[in-house]
């Protein structure tokens, strides 16, 4: 009888492995090839010490509870090759250094942004995906690599659903763990590497803990798939950040009825000068630096236990405890204040045509500066008196700029039932939250907006973290960022940020729907409706990624909801339907592109010559057009 049971068990195990193999090849991660760069260039944006601190300082996130020691020990589904081999992870778009080796800050020899943190109670070290994973870029040209610190990542990170044509880290990690768990030979090798001399003692415990993490990964994948939560594929370099944060916080943690379709992926914004902005996020919805960073950590996987197993709010002394590392978030924010915009590397990408760039400056002042030049706030009018300088961000309504409105609309329209949390308005009034588009007395806890609900959740998490870490009121004021409250505004629009070193952040528009600056300055009819993403190869003439088809790439289709490349258009005719300026001749576009290589680079800017230009004007206003009714879209 024992022999029969063992035989049946082996047969079932083989059938399961066969099923996993079929699933793996159906969803086989078609990844771009990786070829090491001949040389990696840094652009003097900050010190080596600041760079390493930024790359590997944890923020308190957890990949479904994946322990740091497990990750380097995992194998790819077939064979013994390591899943965490730098050359393999680089194929997902993560950044490595040629010939990199393990260091005290990076003992697992992992890519940029893969950090670790230790749980204070258990002592377990968890894999921590930190902010640099998504906010560090790289450009390749003729075998040379140029690192863009604080730039936009080009990886495929978030999705666990097996439909990403270019391969996804999340789905591939899940498959690697599944093959490891259900293949006894793989799991024994894995356990020996993780446990070493404690193999016999801790094998069974490891297997139980490993299965719990695998189940969470697979459960998330199934939940995302069968609910159809992310129908617009993100591909490389994008994620629906607000949608995923909301689904995690309000769907996973409170009530499944709160899941909302998130079909508005956005590119990862670049971070230089961001500390000067009065409003951040693509839609200008957030004010306080700490709240922005805590919200980002929660969205990437920091733990937050809101309800108990019966669906009731946890006891008051346990509420809002999280794995967010409040002091590390503050130090990362302070480090980013020292980050300078990258300077166009003429030794790699070629010399700037100073004469053409001089013409471009005149055209920029005529057509672009009104929205995109920093509006420096006088000291007496600053939101944060201590911030110097402070730049006011113009939020341009989607009906004027005309770019894909899905992101802004989803944030404005989605509502969530958080009544299970048992919030009382009298208690919320004591929190340091300031609503600019609503009032607390009008909030309905059964239908609260994304930004407002996140503001109050974040406020409670901050309160708890500061208290648990013994942070004084004066320290908190500094760590929050200039003593700012958690400010929230909800506008159907996008901020027109300054364009210093914008050349380093392709593809363009908030959803990454335009591959190059030259295309962005062209009419929609001349922008590609479909192009390929995931290739780090840079085109220094058009200023963008090379977007022709390549093996393992992701086909970006602008006809899909959330992917539109319309708006922000320069075209002759009425200023409506996203037409924001006159048509630019090709030679004018080339001049503007050349100037945008220079903007924010004092060394090159001082070489420009003064050229005659026309003052900005709103152009031809047509009767009844949106722009005619908003003669100045400066403040909304």
């Amino acid at each position: 009888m024992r022999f029969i049971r063992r035989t049946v068990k082996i047969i079932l195990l083989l059938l399961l492995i066969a099923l996993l193999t079929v699933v793996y090849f159906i969803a086989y991660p078609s990844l771009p090839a990786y070829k090491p760069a001949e040389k990696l260039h840094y652009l003097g944006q900050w010190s080596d010490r600041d760079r390493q601190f930024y790359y590997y300082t944890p923020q308190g996130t957890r990949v479904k509870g994946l322990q740091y020691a497990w990750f380097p020990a995992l194998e790819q589904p077939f064979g013994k090759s390591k899943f965490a081999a730098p050359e393999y992870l680089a194929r997902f778009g993560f950044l490595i250094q040629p010939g990199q080796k393990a260091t005290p800050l990076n003992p697992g020899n992992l890519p940029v942004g893969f950090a670790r943190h230790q749980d204070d109670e258990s002592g377990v070290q968890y894999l921590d995906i930190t902010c640099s994973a998504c906010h560090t870029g790289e450009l390749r040209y003729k075998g040379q690599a140029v690192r863009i610190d604080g730039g936009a990542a080009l990886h495929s990170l978030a999705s666990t659903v097996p439909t990403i044509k270019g391969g996804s880290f999340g789905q591939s990690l899940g498959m690697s763990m599944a093959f490891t768990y259900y293949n006894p030979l793989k799991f024994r090798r894995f356990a020996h590497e993780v446990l070493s001399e404690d193999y016999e003692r801790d094998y069974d415990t490891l297997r139980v803990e490993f299965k719990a993490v695998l189940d969470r990964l697979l459960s998330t994948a199934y939940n995302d798939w069968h609910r159809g939560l992310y129908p617009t594929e993100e591909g490389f370099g994008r994620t629906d950040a607000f949608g995923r944060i909301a689904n995690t916080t309000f769907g996973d943690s409170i009530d499944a009825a709160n899941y909302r379709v998130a079909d508005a992926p956005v590119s990862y914004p670049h971070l230089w000068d961001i500390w000067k902005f009065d409003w951040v996020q693509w839609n200008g919805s957030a004010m306080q630096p700490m709240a922005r960073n805590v919200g980002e950590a929660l969205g990437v996987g920091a733990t937050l236990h809101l309800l108990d197993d019966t669906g009731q709010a946890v006891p008051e002394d346990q509420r809002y405890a999280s794995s967010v590392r409040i002091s590390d978030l503050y130090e990362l924010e302070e480090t980013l204040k020292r980050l300078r915009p990258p300077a166009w590397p003429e030794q790699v990408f070629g010399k700037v045509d100073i004469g053409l760039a001089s013409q471009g400056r005149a055209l920029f002042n005529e057509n672009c500066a009104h929205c995109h030049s920093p509006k420096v706030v006088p000291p007496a009018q600053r939101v944060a008196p201590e911030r110097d300088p402070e730049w006011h961000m113009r939020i341009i309504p989607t009906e004027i700029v005309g770019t894909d409105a899905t992101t802004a609309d989803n944030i404005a329209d989605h509502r969530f039932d958080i009544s299970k949390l048992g919030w009382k308005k009298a208690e919320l009034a004591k929190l340091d939250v300031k609503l600019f588009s609503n009032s607390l007395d009008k909030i309905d806890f059964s239908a609260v907006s994304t930004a407002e609900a996140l503001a109050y959740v974040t406020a409670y998490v901050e309160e708890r973290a500061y208290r648990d870490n013994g942070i004084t009121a004066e320290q908190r004021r500094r760590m929050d960022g200039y003593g700012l409250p958690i400010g929230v505004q909800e506008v159907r629009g996008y901020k027109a940020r300054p364009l210093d070193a914008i050349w380093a952040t392709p593809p363009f528009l908030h959803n990454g729907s335009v591959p190059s600056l030259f295309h962005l300055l062209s009419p929609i009819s001349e922008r590609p409706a479909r192009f390929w993403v995931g290739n780090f190869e840079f085109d220094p003439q058009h200023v963008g990624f090379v977007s022709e088809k390549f093996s393992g790439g992701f086909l970006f289709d602008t006809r899909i909801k959330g992917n539109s490349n319309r708006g922000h258009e320069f075209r002759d005719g009425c200023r409506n339907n996203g037409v924001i300026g006159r048509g630019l001749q090709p030679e004018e576009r080339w001049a503007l592109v050349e100037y945008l290589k220079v903007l924010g680079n004092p060394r090159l800017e001082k070489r420009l010559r003064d050229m005659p230009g026309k003052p900005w004007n709103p152009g031809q206003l047509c009767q009844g057009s949106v722009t005619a009714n908003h003669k100045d879209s400066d403040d909304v």
Side-chain angles (χ1 to χ4, degrees):
M1 182 64 69
R2 183 179 299 175
F3 173 77
I4 294 175
R5 284 200 299 267
R6 287 189 62 187
T7 302
V8 170
K9 195 173 182 179
I10 291 171
I11 292 172
L12 290 175
L13 184 60
L14 290 173
L15 287 173
L16 181 58
I17 292 175
L19 177 62
L20 285 172
T21 302
V22 171
V23 171
Y24 179 80
F25 280 105
I26 289 175
Y28 185 80
S30 176
L31 299 170
Y34 171 71
K35 183 179 179 181
E38 297 171 11
K39 183 177 181 180
L40 175 61
H41 300 265
Y42 294 102
L43 301 182
Q45 294 180 258
W46 49 12
S47 68
D48 289 341
R49 180 177 180 180
D50 281 345
R51 179 183 300 109
Q52 291 301 307
F53 181 85
Y54 173 65
Y55 283 179
Y56 301 114
T57 296
Q59 58 181 353
T61 68
R62 298 180 185 179
V63 183
K64 303 298 180 182
L66 183 67
Q67 295 185 28
Y68 188 84
W70 298 358
F71 191 60
L74 282 174
E75 295 174 351
Q76 295 173 35
F78 297 101
K80 298 181 181 180
S81 298
K82 295 298 187 184
F83 183 83
E87 296 78 11
Y88 182 65
L89 292 181
R91 297 183 66 190
F92 292 98
F94 298 113
L95 300 180
I96 64 173
Q97 279 76 267
Q100 72 173 35
K101 300 184 182 302
T103 66
L105 281 177
N106 182 22
N109 195 27
L110 302 180
V112 171
F114 283 67
R116 59 175 176 162
H117 76 263
Q118 181 170 301
D119 181 77
D120 293 335
E121 294 184 4
S122 67
V124 173
Q125 291 191 339
Y126 290 99
L127 181 68
D128 191 314
I129 304 297
T130 192
C131 50
S132 60
C134 297
H135 298 284
T136 308
E138 190 166 290
L139 309 173
R140 295 285 190 95
Y141 186 63
K142 293 184 177 180
Q144 306 291 298
V146 175
R147 181 62 52 83
I148 309 296
D149 286 325
L154 193 65
H155 53 51
S156 181
L157 172 64
S159 178
T160 54
V161 182
T163 57
I164 297 295
K165 305 301 187 297
S168 164
F169 171 77
Q171 76 186 56
S172 298
L173 174 63
M175 295 304 292
S176 175
M177 291 190 66
F179 274 84
T180 297
Y181 183 80
Y182 290 109
N183 183 332
L185 296 178
K186 275 186 173 293
F187 195 85
R188 286 173 193 159
R189 291 195 297 268
F190 169 81
H192 272 295
E193 185 167 341
V194 170
L195 299 175
S196 189
E197 66 271 13
D198 297 325
Y199 176 86
E200 296 293 340
R201 186 191 70 187
D202 294 339
Y203 178 92
D204 291 338
T205 300
L206 174 64
R207 193 158 175 83
V208 170
E209 293 176 342
F210 189 92
K211 181 62 161 49
V213 175
L214 173 60
D215 285 348
R216 284 194 287 270
L217 275 170
L218 297 180
S219 176
T220 297
Y222 176 74
N223 184 70
D224 294 352
W225 169 74
H226 96 278
R227 295 181 187 277
L229 294 181
Y230 306 101
T232 301
E233 296 182 40
E234 293 156 315
F236 289 95
R238 300 194 309 165
T239 189
D240 191 328
F242 258 98
R244 288 187 177 276
I245 291 172
N247 281 334
T248 297
T249 305
F250 309 128
D252 293 351
S253 301
I254 300 177
D255 193 327
N258 280 327
Y259 287 118
R260 298 290 180 267
V261 171
D263 51 9
V266 296
S267 297
Y268 303 108
H270 53 283
L271 300 185
W272 49 85
D273 292 331
I274 195 173
W275 64 273
K276 304 172 186 176
F277 299 178
D278 58 352
W279 291 98
V280 295
Q281 307 293 15
W282 283 110
N283 66 333
S285 60
M287 173 186 287
Q288 187 195 88
M290 182 59 77
R292 175 195 70 221
N293 296 332
V294 168
E296 179 267 331
L298 291 174
V300 178
T303 59
L304 177 61
H305 190 45
L306 297 176
L307 304 177
D308 62 20
D309 293 338
T310 68
Q312 301 300 310
V314 297
E316 187 171 350
D317 64 336
Q318 299 176 28
R319 289 179 190 172
Y320 306 106
S322 75
S323 59
V324 169
R325 299 174 65 86
I326 206 86
S327 295
D328 284 333
L329 287 177
Y330 169 68
E331 291 299 334
L332 283 164
E333 182 74 18
E334 291 299 296
T335 301
L336 283 167
K337 290 181 181 179
R338 296 190 287 272
L339 177 69
R340 294 183 291 273
W344 178 269
E346 292 187 293
Q347 75 279 17
V348 180
F349 295 155
K351 293 286 186 180
V352 171
D353 185 326
I354 294 299
L356 194 60
S358 299
Q359 298 173 33
R361 180 169 64 177
L363 288 163
F364 182 89
N365 290 334
E366 175 192 341
N367 297 280
C368 314
H370 175 73
C371 289
H372 286 292
S373 285
K375 183 178 180 182
V376 181
V377 181
Q381 299 174 21
R382 291 175 186 160
V383 176
E386 301 166 21
R387 178 164 47 197
D388 185 18
E390 181 174 280
W391 292 351
H392 172 60
M393 293 294 103
R394 297 173 173 89
I395 313 298
I396 314 300
T398 55
E399 58 186 357
I400 292 177
V401 71
T403 50
D404 191 297
T406 314
T407 296
D409 287 345
N410 285 357
I411 295 170
D413 293 337
H414 285 175
R415 293 292 182 270
F416 305 91
D417 185 351
I418 58 171
S419 53
K420 287 183 179 181
L421 296 178
W423 283 353
K424 305 297 182 185
K425 291 185 179 180
E427 293 300 314
L428 295 184
K430 298 176 184 178
L431 299 173
D432 195 17
V433 175
K434 184 175 181 180
L435 305 179
F436 286 79
S437 304
N438 200 358
S439 59
L440 179 57
D441 63 293
K442 294 181 179 179
I443 288 181
D444 178 359
F445 294 141
S446 66
V448 65
S449 73
T450 309
E452 290 168 348
L454 286 174
Y456 285 109
V457 167
T458 300
Y460 275 123
V461 171
E462 283 187 11
E463 292 275 351
R464 177 66 187 258
Y466 284 133
R467 184 171 71 250
D468 289 351
N469 286 275
I471 304 297
T472 66
E474 181 55 34
Q475 289 174 316
R476 171 175 180 165
R477 185 180 184 281
R478 183 179 70 253
M479 292 172 69
D480 278 344
Y482 314 105
L484 287 168
I486 299 177
V488 179
Q489 67 176 359
E490 295 175 311
V491 179
R492 294 179 195 272
Y494 301 114
K495 72 176 187 290
R497 65 180 296 160
L499 300 182
D500 290 5
I502 194 66
W503 61 265
T505 66
F508 299 99
L509 292 185
H510 73 279
N511 59 355
S513 60
V514 181
S516 76
L517 285 178
F518 185 82
H519 288 116
L520 184 61
L521 297 170
S522 302
I524 293 174
S525 60
E526 297 181 29
R527 297 175 184 173
R530 304 170 84 201
F531 59 93
W532 292 83
V533 182
N535 188 346
F536 286 93
E537 290 301 315
F538 188 63
D539 176 354
Q541 180 184 13
H542 291 84
V543 181
F545 286 122
V546 173
S547 56
E548 286 79 18
K549 183 176 181 179
F550 62 97
S551 178
F554 174 79
L555 181 59
F556 192 112
D557 190 337
T558 63
R559 298 167 298 182
I560 295 172
K561 186 179 180 183
N563 287 357
S564 174
N565 66 349
R566 67 180 296 273
H568 198 280
E569 187 181 11
F570 295 91
R571 175 162 53 83
D572 291 333
C574 298
R575 301 295 186 264
N576 57 16
N577 296 322
V579 178
I580 61 170
R582 67 174 177 82
L584 300 170
Q585 296 302 310
E587 59 270 19
E588 293 178 309
R589 297 176 221 165
W590 290 123
L592 270 167
V593 166
E594 203 70 8
Y595 174 62
L596 291 173
K597 299 176 183 179
V598 171
L599 184 58
N601 181 343
R603 182 184 67 83
L604 289 177
E605 282 196 277
K606 68 182 181 181
R607 293 173 55 195
L608 298 179
R609 300 189 296 271
D610 289 332
M611 302 285 286
K614 301 175 183 178
W616 181 88
N617 70 79
Q620 178 185 354
L621 302 181
C622 301
Q623 186 64 34
S625 72
V626 171
T627 313
N629 296 322
H630 295 79
K631 290 185 172 56
D632 185 357
S633 59
D634 181 24
D635 299 306
V636 181

